[in-house]
């Protein structure tokens, strides 16, 4: 539960005082695992309901001083696990008062670098002093201090402070009741437990896509029940019921939105700027928010797809399907139409991992984990219950690379017995269509020029 009060906050003038402030804060409160300020899009049917959010920056197990600032600026007296609080105008100015020594330091550097900003410190001091005198008289404070050059300059070192400056540009909208379609919120959680709010669901998906949390490491229980099914036009969500109710008016006025897709989860590129320049996604519809893509990843159009809580840990060519909770290793090539089974449907409950430098042939189906250097020929299905024949000679070779593997006397194995083993090549014999396996003698290498 979260509680607030409304008193003013004094200006912290030195970094030493700021350290004391943070130390004192954490004698009374727990450190959050994750927190950030988001823009929350509101329902057009009920503007008290949030239907999607977007984080310009998310703090994950870091920047605890900023959380102390945000929680104090929001006047949070107590919180348990999930933290969701609307940001008002006073929050912005309280944060300035608490961040004061860091802002002054950055403005001093700015003044040295750019002569035209010599008055920036005085303007900022006046803004803080005015807030201390009359916090609700600066409804148009964006006029006083809203230069985006200053914001971006400060953001080089302090992204959380930059966000507060960006909020200043929206200060007239932040005042309660002045915008019916969006608001800004402070969101965070202390423990990684079952999700109870849409905002925390988005925060966890963001953490996965940015690589702050490892794939399959966060509790996503209940996520689908919290996310509404929305019609997305660009980056703007619409409820289907709103479109039904207003279809005639919107179409007569020429304002009916172009609907790109309908889903509970937005697309990866609607929320994430890829962390590496050599990530290529040739069809934005093919990757869901909550997927993780490492440097060198290439996703071709057509049958390729990556679900949330899944992805590639390194350079990878993907022309197939990486289903939910699937992790693919560096150097692996997923052929056209190849499918790796996930855990969302079909009864499969064991997440699949594909090792490094593997090759999944076109239209193959993989239902077991693979170690490094494995090959599945085109058109083959290797499932947990598939019967695989391995000759005694090849079983010995496989054992030499996988000491835990124990050859069977009859030479037949179920797919799950081979799960996670390295260097195995799966093939269908042309004579009797038998699924066989043997030690792979082929090294898989991606074209470096493409990654």
């Amino acid at each position: 539960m979260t509680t607030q009060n409304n008193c003013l906050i004094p200006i912290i003038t030195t970094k030493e005082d700021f350290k004391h402030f943070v130390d004192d804060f954490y004698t009374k409160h727990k450190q959050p695992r994750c927190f950030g300020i988001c823009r929350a899009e509101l329902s057009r049917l009920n503007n008290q309901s949030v239907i999607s959010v977007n984080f310009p920056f998310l703090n994950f197990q870091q920047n605890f001083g900023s959380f102390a600032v945000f929680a104090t600026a929001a006047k949070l007296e107590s919180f348990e696990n999930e933290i969701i609080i609307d940001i008002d105008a006073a929050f912005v100015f309280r944060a300035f008062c608490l961040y004061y020594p860091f802002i002054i330091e950055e403005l001093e550097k700015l003044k040295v670098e750019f002569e035209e900003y010599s008055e920036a410190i005085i303007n900022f001091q006046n803004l803080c002093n005015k807030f201390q005198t009359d916090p609700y008289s600066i409804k148009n404070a964006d006029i006083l201090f809203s230069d985006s050059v200053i914001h971006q300059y400060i953001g080089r070192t302090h992204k959380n402070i930059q966000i507060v400056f960006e909020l200043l540009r929206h200060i007239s909208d932040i005042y309660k009741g002045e915008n019916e379609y969006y608001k800004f919120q402070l969101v965070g959680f202390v423990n990684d437990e079952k999700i109870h709010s849409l905002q925390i669901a988005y925060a966890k998906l963001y953490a996965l896509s940015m690589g702050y949390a490892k794939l399959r490491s966060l509790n996503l229980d209940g996520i689908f029940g919290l996310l509404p099914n929305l019609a997305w036009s660009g980056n703007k969500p619409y409820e289907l019921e709103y479109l039904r109710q207003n279809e005639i008016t919107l179409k007569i006025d020429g304002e009916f939105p172009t609907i790109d897709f309908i889903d509970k989860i937005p697309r990866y590129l609607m929320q994430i700027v890829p962390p590496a320049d050599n990530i290529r996604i040739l069809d934005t519809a093919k990757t869901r928010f909550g997927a993780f893509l490492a440097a060198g990843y290439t996703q071709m159009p057509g049958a390729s797809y990556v679900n949330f809580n899944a992805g590639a840990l390194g350079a990878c060519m993907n022309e197939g399907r990486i289903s939910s909770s699937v992790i693919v290793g560096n150097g692996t090539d997923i052929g056209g139409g190849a499918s790796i089974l996930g855990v969302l449907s079909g009864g499969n409950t064991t997440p699949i991992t594909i090792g490094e430098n593997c090759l999944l042939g076109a239209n193959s189906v993989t239902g077991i984990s693979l170690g490094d250097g494995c090959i599945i020929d085109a058109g083959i299905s290797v499932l947990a219950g598939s019967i695989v024949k391995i000759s005694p000679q090849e079983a010995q070779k496989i054992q030499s690379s996988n000491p835990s593997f124990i050859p069977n006397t009859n030479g037949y194995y179920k797919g799950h017995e081979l799960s996670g083993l390295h260097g195995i090549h799966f093939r269908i014999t042309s004579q009797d269509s038998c699924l066989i396996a043997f030690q792979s003698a082929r090294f898989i290498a991606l074209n470096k020029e493409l990654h």
Side-chain angles (χ1 to χ4, degrees), residues 63-126:
N63 300 327
F64 298 116
S66 282
F67 179 75
V69 169
F70 290 164
T72 304
K75 291 298 179 181
L76 302 187
E77 293 182 344
S78 64
F79 52 87
E80 296 300 327
N81 186 39
E82 294 192 1
I83 301 159
I84 302 168
I85 190 74
D86 292 350
I87 286 176
D88 59 13
F91 171 96
V92 177
F93 299 108
R94 292 188 192 115
F96 281 146
C97 294
L98 297 169
Y99 275 134
Y100 188 91
F102 300 95
I103 295 172
I104 294 296
E105 180 181 62
E106 294 303 310
L107 293 180
E108 289 281 5
K109 297 176 185 176
L110 180 69
K111 185 172 68 172
V112 172
E113 192 168 339
F114 301 102
E115 185 177 344
E116 61 266 35
Y117 292 104
S118 59
E119 300 295 318
I121 292 177
I122 295 174
N123 291 339
F124 176 70
Q125 290 172 330
N126 289 340

Side-chain angles (χ1 to χ4, degrees), residues 1-7 25 28-30 67-68 70-80 83 85 186:
M1 182 176 178
T2 298
T3 58
Q4 292 178 282
N5 61 54
N6 295 309
C7 64
F25 178 87
K28 306 168 187 174
H29 304 289
K30 297 178 181 178
F67 179 75
F70 290 164
T72 304
K75 291 298 179 181
L76 302 187
E77 293 182 344
S78 64
F79 52 87
E80 296 300 327
I83 301 159
I85 190 74
L186 171 62

